[in-house]
Amino acid sequence: MSTELDMERDFIRILSENENQWRYRSDIKTESDLWNNFISHLNRLNVAVLKDMYLTDKETKRVQVELTRLTGTPFLASQWLRGENGVSQIVLERDTGEKITLEAFRNKDISGGTSSYEVVNQIVPDIKRQVRGDVTLLINGLPIIHIELKKESAKDGYIQAYHQIQRYAEGGFFKGIYATTQIFIVSNKVETRYFARPSEDTPLAYKRMEKFLFNWRTEDNVPVPDLFDFTRTVLRIPDAHELISQYTILVDDQKNQKFLMVLRPYQIHAIRKIRRQAAKHEGGFVWHATGSGKTITSFIATKLLAQHSIGVDRTVMVVDRTDLDAQTQDEFTKFASEYHTGQSSGTSVANTLIVGIKNQRQLSRSLLSSKNNNTILVTTIQKLSAAMRTAQQDSENKGTNQFEKLRKEHIVFIVDEAHRAVSDEEMRRIKKLLPNSTWFGLTGTPIFEENKKQENGTYARTTEQQYGKLLHAYTTKNAMDDEAVLGFQVEYHSLLLEEDQEEIVARANNGKAVEDIIKQESKLPIEIYQADQHIKAMLQKIFNRRSLIKKFNVKNGFPTMSGILTTHSIAQAKRIYKMLKKMKAEGTLINGRQFDERHQLIDSNFPRVAITFSTNPDQLDKNEQDDELVEIMRDYAHQFDSTPYEDEKLYNQNINKRLARKETQYQMNGQWLDLVIVVDRLLTGFDSPTIQTLYVDREMNYQKLLQAFSRTNRINAGKDVGMIVTFRKPETMKINVQDTFRLFSNETQDFKVLIPKEYTEVKEEFESFAQAYHQTEDELLENPTDVKAMINQVSAYQKLEKSYKALKSYDEYEEDVERFAEVVEELPTYQGKVENLKVKIKDKLIDEEDTIDIEELLAGIAFSSNLNATHKEAVDSFYINQLLKAVQENEEGAIEKFDKEIQLKDPLVQPMYQEIKEKLLNTQEPLDVVRLKDDAIQGKIDELTQNQARDMGLSVEFLQSAVNEYRSEGKVIPYLAHLLDTMTLSKEEFEAKTGEKYRRRTKILEQLLQKNFDIIQKWKEEL
């Protein structure tokens, strides 16, 4: 088993191989060395500007000050590296008073030109804390990519490396010359991830970034987890330089979001394919799963073709008309910082050169003007057609040949949402005007022979017929494997009793009975779903107290997730909306038993509901519909105490924002939407991570089904799956779901693993996992020191735990609670055993790492995981605070409830709660109970920390930082080396106090700290 240093040495050797083009600089070991190296590169790159007079010491200091200013935040550093027209520059006043501009980095000089590629390792930065970075990759002397490594036996070691980078960032490591770092890589050799530098050097920014640690996949979606394979594939030149200069993007929403984004591998592969095809004047289509970032892929492909491609005269990105609302315009203007050129494009936001969004006149001018490589044209097919007519007319009126020149140009069209944005008929019309054009389509749901369009004549019926061959595929299964999206959970409900359904079908079938259940469902008349009885039963199912707690993820009494209800027609949507309003007003909407006092809804305004649909201005009853819409918009405004909208477009835009909850104002004070009733609006292209549940009151299949389902599977904290609840024809819908997932998985993939499991299947799995866990317990009892038996028990528990998490999310589980009570009540005990086993396993692996195959043994378990929360529902802080207030106010039964709940807590914390209770009962003056509790807990934490610092002669400051960053599931002591350095105990004192040899002080201190930190962690959990 290789050590961490062995791994680092091999890593640097591979980077330095001729084909990978990095040069190892063993002479650079300090931040001062890095600065000197950078200055030497500035001298090299700017010989003409410097007139052969190298930078003086004073000028070097000015360069350092200016670079520090230009890279003051991670975002500013990324923006500076983008440079003006792709060149990063530093303005310097020379000792002579002359002002010059120095070039530092050229984004286009990839694997040639002025670029120099160097590797350094074990750099000691100029900060207070003594730390060493593992490996850094320099371009022109600037740190661009930083790598932290952990040894192979550190299971989930890349997570440990990630937290190490976080600690370095918070400690100031990535300041000074290291401020230019753009990409981080973390690895324990067998698992490797890359990610963009977070927007700030803060715990919150790094917490947000945890879900964006990407693994690499080949063009065929084969994972590349091994560090050395990753190095040869991703970190070689030109690929590493391209990753920085071409496959990252700056996002700035002009409000509170400023960050760097790096593309996932499948996006990079697709863009490379598009660029190669465009050079050959051949089109094609890209199939990337819904929710995988097609718009970003489309945009960067458009940008790179416009700016870097030879043989492409200009590039146009075409988007769907229904998508081109304010939300989409906001999305594109976020990329304004990509164009840090100092140029302007009229009224465009923040100097962005993205044009065509606003009107066809602007687009027409751009098409007729000379080519501008920095201009990105974004439009709809409708605006494009109008702009082409205007351009032709203007050219004829002015007597110029500009339009004929345009016709001869090679124009590439990138179509985001290939079928919604452009029909084959529209594409053919544009191709007649622009015969040299090349077209690329991106879609999450391609059209194949099986789900082909019903087109007349020779118009294309499939995606391949319209665009050409498939260039790159990244399916829903790939996305789930990558954890880029969540899986789905589907519940199939029928609101009809079996005998009622048989009777209704017989009546509709001239009195003849129909045995086959699918045929039965096909003969059910639509009128039964339009009846008040069906709508009322459906709403009662949705707003059952036990169901809504899960489906809207109610925390501390308030919903944290939203839902969409889709139905078959505008008329039905209105019926549902009116019935919901009526039931809410009557107090009959929210129904059924609640879980318990810890899991209840206290939000008196729930649910906040809206209805949205696309209106048809040509229909005969337009006036009546307008009156209805005015009333709907008035209702909507009343919910939020705002001024009613008179414009349908503005109304819909506001619905989008409240449902998405991306802006701070819609995340607080009940300003969000809980449920939106739709027909087809919002079911494609609308992305919001806070949408958790889709309620389906209609039949769906193929692309419509998958697109609608995919509104729910965006990753978000506290969300495990996208939930789907259907209310019609359950057997038919099961077949439709199966057919859809079969169609939209590749032929080489097992589509069955994608089909969401029904409750009965999950229930059987849980029972088998419980049995398997008990078996591993017995095996470990027979061989208590066998590491493989320990690992088997940990693995069995983690499968059981994950299965339970899925099981309890189904509404049907409520009927089986008693059946599983025996196992569920034991889960916290199992977890405790497993946490202890993890510690033993780690110790065993360290002792035996040369004699066992660690990678094979640990393949099935995780040492740190989001699944580690105890499944005996913890009494949350919010509920305890409520009980304390009830005790203070002498509410009837409050003391009994409080005592009962406190008995469920760890014996360690129980006395503190009893002391607070006594204080509340014996004090007449009003007390802030929350402050009283938090101060008591923080006091215990401070006392434990200070006592240990005093007892072991440690720095209180370092110990406090370690306490704050310690995570019990990881069992890693932050700053352990620094704490050892601060320890003031002599050899004699240490041995007398611990009874252990001084040479074992690292291991002994780690054990003592871990024991104390686990106690402190119990207190922290009460805050």
Side-chain angles (χ1 to χ4, degrees):
M1 179 61 59
S2 59
T3 66
E4 207 169 295
L5 287 175
D6 291 334
M7 192 195 313
E8 186 175 301
R9 186 180 61 249
D10 291 341
F11 175 55
I12 291 170
R13 177 182 54 76
I14 292 168
L15 284 166
S16 306
E17 288 170 353
N18 288 338
E19 62 269 26
N20 297 326
Q21 297 190 43
W22 296 94
R23 182 164 67 97
Y24 179 44
R25 294 292 303 274
S26 60
D27 56 315
I28 298 176
K29 289 300 174 192
T30 67
E31 190 166 339
S32 178
D33 293 341
L34 278 176
W35 276 114
N36 291 336
N37 184 51
F38 172 59
I39 295 300
S40 73
H41 282 291
L42 280 183
N43 286 325
R44 173 182 65 83
L45 294 165
N46 297 279
V47 172
V49 176
L50 293 169
K51 299 171 185 174
D52 292 324
M53 294 176 61
Y54 284 169
L55 295 169
T56 67
D57 290 344
K58 286 184 179 178
E59 289 167 348
T60 295
K61 288 286 185 189
R62 290 190 203 116
V63 167
Q64 289 180 331
V65 169
E66 180 64 4
L67 183 62
T68 302
R69 184 188 70 81
L70 290 167
T71 59
T73 67
F75 184 82
L76 285 174
S78 300
Q79 197 172 50
W80 175 73
L81 277 170
R82 283 291 189 281
E84 295 199 1
N85 295 311
V87 181
S88 310
Q89 300 173 331
I90 298 173
V91 176
L92 171 69
E93 183 176 326
R94 301 216 70 173
D95 293 344
T96 60
E98 178 190 6
K99 276 197 172 181
I100 60 171
T101 301
L102 302 174
E103 287 190 5
F105 184 88
R106 278 183 169 267
N107 283 281
K108 291 184 181 179
D109 282 354
I110 296 174
S111 190
T114 63
S115 296
S116 164
Y117 305 104
E118 297 165 313
V119 188
V120 296
N121 70 320
Q122 296 299 311
I123 300 292
V124 179
D126 296 339
I127 58 176
K128 290 180 181 177
R129 293 175 180 167
Q130 282 291 299
V131 296
R132 291 176 186 271
D134 282 351
V135 181
T136 308
L137 306 185
L138 314 177
I139 303 181
N140 292 348
L142 292 169
I144 299 295
I145 299 174
H146 183 75
I147 303 99
E148 284 295 326
L149 305 171
K150 291 293 176 188
K151 64 180 179 179
E152 203 170 331
S153 59
K155 182 64 178 174
D156 287 357
Y158 72 90
I159 291 292
Q160 294 178 28
Y162 176 78
H163 292 310
Q164 185 167 318
I165 286 175
Q166 178 180 342
R167 291 196 294 274
Y168 285 1
E170 291 172 24
F173 188 110
F174 300 104
K175 302 288 186 188
I177 194 165
Y178 262 101
T180 56
T181 306
Q182 298 292 285
I183 300 287
F184 290 121
I185 293 162
V186 289
S187 178
N188 68 332
K189 172 71 170 66
V190 294
E191 284 292 338
T192 306
R193 299 284 191 275
Y194 72 99
F195 60 99
R197 184 179 176 187
S199 57
E200 296 174 310
D201 296 330
T202 62
L204 182 60
Y206 273 81
K207 184 67 180 172
R208 282 197 298 260
M209 185 56 71
E210 278 185 13
K211 60 185 178 183
F212 299 110
L213 275 61
F214 303 149
N215 67 341
W216 189 261
R217 283 177 176 263
T218 65
E219 201 171 279
D220 297 325
N221 294 310
V222 178
V224 183
D226 180 83
L227 173 65
F228 300 152
D229 293 338
F230 178 93
T231 304
R232 293 185 176 100
T233 306
V234 183
L235 295 183
R236 65 187 179 185
I237 298 300
D239 297 72
H241 196 150
E242 285 181 351
L243 186 66
I244 297 299
S245 295
Q246 298 185 356
Y247 299 117
T248 59
I249 188 166
L250 284 173
V251 178
D252 180 2
D253 69 354
Q254 311 292 313
K255 294 170 187 172
N256 56 4
Q257 289 190 77
K258 292 178 187 288
F259 59 90
L260 179 71
M261 179 189 295
V262 62
L263 297 193
R264 294 176 185 260
Y266 59 84
Q267 295 175 304
I268 295 170
H269 294 315
I271 293 167
R272 285 174 174 162
K273 276 288 190 77
I274 288 171
R275 294 172 76 180
R276 288 199 290 269
Q277 287 292 104
K280 297 188 292 185
H281 284 234
E282 294 178 8
F285 76 96
V286 170
W287 171 15
H288 281 183
T290 303
S292 62
K294 287 189 299 299
T295 299
I296 293 287
T297 307
S298 304
F299 181 82
I300 295 190
T302 304
K303 180 190 87 164
L304 292 177
L305 284 172
Q307 294 179 338
H308 298 289
S309 291
I310 297 169
V312 174
D313 293 304
R314 63 184 85 217
T315 315
V316 180
M317 179 175 170
V318 183
V319 298
D320 180 41
R321 176 165 59 180
T322 57
D323 286 349
L324 202 62
D325 56 15
Q327 180 182 339
T328 311
Q329 291 179 36
D330 288 346
E331 287 297 309
F332 288 122
T333 55
K334 282 181 183 179
F335 308 142
S337 293
E338 282 294 293
Y339 306 94
H340 187 55
T341 61
Q343 303 174 41
S344 178
S345 167
T347 58
S348 293
V349 176
N351 289 342
T352 177
L353 297 181
I354 304 169
V355 300
I357 291 178
K358 291 293 184 184
N359 56 64
Q360 55 91 5
R361 176 65 66 179
Q362 179 196 43
L363 180 61
S364 174
R365 285 197 300 269
S366 294
L367 288 168
L368 291 177
S369 64
S370 298
K371 180 189 174 187
N372 179 350
N373 283 356
N374 283 319
T375 301
I376 306 299
L377 304 179
V378 181
T379 188
T380 63
I381 195 70
Q382 292 80 13
K383 282 192 175 72
L384 179 63
S385 296
M388 295 293 292
R389 290 193 297 270
T390 303
Q392 188 173 13
Q393 189 67 52
D394 287 353
S395 185
E396 290 172 359
N397 291 343
K398 292 176 183 176
T400 68
N401 65 346
Q402 285 176 303
F403 190 74
E404 281 308 307
K405 283 183 181 177
L406 181 68
R407 280 176 55 81
K408 293 174 184 175
E409 287 185 359
H410 180 208
I411 301 177
V412 175
F413 291 93
I414 308 284
V415 185
D416 184 37
E417 294 299 348
H419 296 288
R420 287 193 293 120
V422 179
S423 69
D424 190 44
E425 183 179 3
E426 291 165 327
M427 187 187 294
R428 290 189 188 190
R429 198 159 45 237
I430 299 294
K431 279 183 174 179
K432 279 185 181 178
L433 290 171
L434 301 171
N436 291 323
S437 61
T438 302
W439 292 72
F440 296 95
L442 284 87
T443 179
T445 49
I447 297 175
F448 303 105
E449 280 296 319
E450 189 168 337
N451 61 323
K452 64 185 177 186
K453 294 186 287 186
Q454 301 303 310
E455 295 288 357
N456 295 321
T458 61
Y459 288 124
R461 297 187 177 194
T462 67
T463 310
E464 186 170 347
Q465 287 170 5
Q466 184 172 347
Y467 287 95
K469 66 180 182 180
L470 172 64
L471 303 181
H472 189 258
Y474 181 79
T475 65
T476 300
K477 184 177 188 307
N478 298 141
M480 288 179 182
D481 289 345
D482 269 348
E483 298 180 352
V485 296
L486 300 171
F488 299 111
Q489 170 188 301
V490 186
E491 296 179 25
Y492 303 94
H493 295 290
S494 174
L495 303 177
L496 287 172
L497 295 173
E498 190 176 329
E499 55 269 24
D500 290 346
Q501 178 168 305
E502 290 172 357
E503 187 181 331
I504 291 167
V505 169
R507 282 203 305 268
N509 198 36
N510 298 319
K512 295 178 184 176
V514 177
E515 296 297 325
D516 183 80
I517 190 70
I518 301 295
K519 287 182 180 177
Q520 260 189 31
E521 290 182 349
S522 70
K523 293 183 177 296
L524 286 168
I526 197 166
E527 290 77 21
I528 65 170
Y529 301 114
Q530 295 168 348
D532 286 353
Q533 183 180 353
H534 167 80
I535 295 170
K536 190 178 289 188
M538 178 176 66
L539 290 173
Q540 285 181 330
K541 198 88 173 173
I542 294 171
F543 294 105
N544 175 276
R545 283 186 175 86
R546 291 197 164 204
S547 180
L548 68 85
I549 292 292
K550 301 172 186 177
K551 300 301 190 290
F552 295 90
N553 201 18
V554 174
K555 300 289 184 188
N556 294 343
F558 289 84
T560 62
M561 303 282 177
S562 307
I564 293 176
L565 190 160
T566 177
T567 192
H568 68 276
S569 70
I570 293 175
Q572 179 76 346
K574 289 177 182 174
R575 290 186 199 102
I576 295 168
Y577 177 68
K578 288 173 184 174
M579 179 65 75
L580 192 153
K581 272 178 57 185
K582 179 174 181 286
M583 292 173 70
K584 185 178 178 182
E586 294 171 349
T588 58
L589 184 65
I590 297 174
N591 62 93
R593 295 181 301 124
Q594 64 186 34
F595 272 105
D596 53 46
E597 289 177 307
R598 285 170 290 173
H599 298 89
Q600 61 175 307
L601 185 77
I602 63 171
D603 181 358
S604 58
N605 292 318
F606 178 86
R608 298 159 188 79
V609 178
I611 175 173
T612 177
F613 43 81
S614 301
T615 57
N616 180 358
D618 299 326
Q619 59 192 28
L620 296 175
D621 60 343
K622 182 176 183 302
N623 291 333
E624 180 185 338
Q625 177 158 317
D626 280 355
D627 289 342
E628 276 191 295
L629 192 57
V630 167
E631 185 182 345
I632 286 168
M633 291 191 292
R634 195 181 298 125
D635 285 347
Y636 178 80
H638 180 70
Q639 280 187 103
F640 301 107
D641 197 22
S642 60
T643 306
Y645 287 102
E646 297 179 0
D647 182 287
E648 181 183 354
K649 187 176 179 182
L650 292 176
Y651 165 70
N652 284 333
Q653 286 173 9
N654 192 257
I655 285 175
N656 291 5
K657 288 180 178 181
R658 289 188 192 274
L659 184 60
R661 301 195 197 192
K662 290 179 181 176
E663 296 176 32
T664 306
Q665 62 181 312
Y666 301 124
Q667 296 169 358
M668 53 203 302
N669 302 324
Q671 292 301 306
W672 59 81
L673 272 167
D674 297 307
L675 183 73
V676 178
I677 303 167
V678 305
V679 180
D680 291 317
R681 260 202 99 241
L682 304 180
L683 296 187
T684 55
F686 181 78
D687 291 334
S688 170
T690 53
I691 296 173
Q692 176 166 274
T693 308
L694 175 74
Y695 297 100
V696 183
D697 181 42
R698 63 191 292 184
E699 268 189 83
M700 305 183 94
N701 62 8
Y702 295 133
Q703 58 267 34
K704 274 199 171 185
L705 183 147
L706 186 56
Q707 286 167 350
F709 277 26
S710 297
R711 294 319 99 207
T712 69
N713 73 337
R714 302 307 189 267
I715 292 170
N716 197 55
K719 183 174 166 187
D720 300 310
V721 291
M723 296 182 173
I724 318 296
V725 184
T726 71
F727 294 110
R728 298 192 192 183
K729 304 182 181 180
E731 299 307 318
T732 303
M733 283 298 291
K734 285 176 191 175
I735 290 172
N736 289 354
V737 168
Q738 180 169 317
D739 288 347
T740 296
F741 282 104
R742 177 180 48 75
L743 183 65
F744 293 116
S745 64
N746 262 347
E747 291 176 5
T748 56
Q749 295 175 339
D750 179 9
F751 77 93
K752 291 180 181 176
V753 302
L754 294 176
I755 300 170
K757 294 173 181 174
E758 292 182 51
Y759 173 71
T760 52
E761 190 178 348
V762 175
K763 185 165 65 172
E764 287 169 8
E765 272 189 359
F766 178 73
E767 289 174 325
S768 68
F769 285 142
Q771 189 177 351
Y773 174 78
H774 292 137
Q775 190 174 333
T776 62
E777 277 194 323
D778 294 340
E779 289 169 1
L780 187 59
L781 280 173
E782 290 178 19
N783 302 285
T785 60
D786 180 39
V787 69
K788 191 169 184 180
M790 293 180 191
I791 288 170
N792 287 342
Q793 186 169 332
V794 173
S795 176
Y797 169 74
Q798 288 177 345
K799 289 174 183 173
L800 176 63
E801 183 182 39
K802 189 174 182 181
S803 179
Y804 175 64
K805 204 166 190 178
L807 180 77
K808 67 174 186 171
S809 64
Y810 288 82
D811 287 351
E812 293 99 316
Y813 171 70
E814 299 311 318
E815 298 169 14
D816 288 331
V817 167
E818 295 303 320
R819 175 178 174 177
F820 297 118
E822 189 176 340
V823 175
V824 171
E825 286 170 6
E826 287 299 312
L827 283 172
T829 306
Y830 301 163
Q831 187 194 11
K833 291 178 181 178
V834 163
E835 292 302 320
N836 291 332
L837 282 175
K838 286 181 186 178
V839 177
K840 290 181 182 178
I841 291 166
K842 283 190 175 182
D843 290 341
K844 284 265 187 187
L845 294 182
I846 291 167
D847 294 338
E848 302 176 27
E849 63 183 22
D850 293 324
T851 61
I852 58 177
D853 186 340
I854 289 172
E855 184 177 351
E856 183 183 346
L857 273 178
L858 299 186
I861 72 170
F863 275 94
S864 62
S865 161
N866 292 328
L867 299 174
N868 277 348
T870 176
H871 285 299
K872 184 170 184 181
E873 299 292 351
V875 182
D876 59 25
S877 185
F878 169 80
Y879 183 58
I880 289 295
N881 291 344
Q882 297 300 108
L883 286 178
L884 283 169
K885 288 174 184 176
V887 168
Q888 185 181 35
E889 292 167 9
N890 291 318
E891 288 185 13
E892 186 178 346
I895 294 174
E896 289 77 9
K897 285 182 187 176
F898 180 80
D899 288 342
K900 182 180 177 182
E901 295 297 351
I902 298 310
Q903 284 171 11
L904 300 174
K905 288 191 165 290
D906 193 288
L908 178 77
V909 303
Q910 289 182 20
M912 181 270 296
Y913 279 114
Q914 293 300 338
E915 287 174 19
I916 294 174
K917 182 185 77 172
E918 293 304 320
K919 188 174 285 189
L920 291 175
L921 293 174
N922 297 321
T923 306
Q924 298 302 314
E925 61 190 70
L927 294 172
D928 183 338
V929 292
V930 177
R931 179 75 177 273
L932 190 66
K933 185 195 86 172
D934 289 353
D935 285 351
I937 293 168
Q938 195 59 55
K940 293 287 185 185
I941 293 171
D942 292 344
E943 179 187 348
L944 287 163
T945 305
Q946 288 163 10
N947 286 347
Q948 188 160 47
R950 184 171 56 252
D951 192 41
M952 298 303 295
L954 304 173
S955 160
V956 175
E957 179 190 355
F958 267 129
L959 193 59
Q960 187 65 61
S961 296
V963 165
N964 291 340
E965 296 179 29
Y966 177 72
R967 292 168 173 82
S968 58
E969 69 270 18
K971 301 292 183 186
V972 176
I973 305 296
Y975 310 121
L976 180 60
H978 309 314
L979 286 164
L980 271 168
D981 290 343
T982 70
M983 191 167 69
T984 58
L985 290 184
S986 67
K987 178 175 180 291
E988 293 75 18
E989 288 172 327
F990 178 86
E991 292 183 348
K993 189 176 285 287
T994 64
E996 297 282 353
K997 293 294 184 184
Y998 190 66
R999 67 173 180 271
R1000 296 195 66 227
R1001 62 190 179 279
T1002 302
K1003 186 72 175 173
I1004 297 306
L1005 182 61
E1006 182 180 26
Q1007 290 173 354
L1008 291 171
L1009 289 173
Q1010 195 169 86
K1011 185 177 180 181
N1012 200 42
F1013 282 16
D1014 282 339
I1015 293 170
I1016 289 174
Q1017 192 70 16
K1018 290 177 180 177
W1019 288 105
K1020 285 165 71 175
E1021 287 167 3
E1022 299 303 315
L1023 286 171

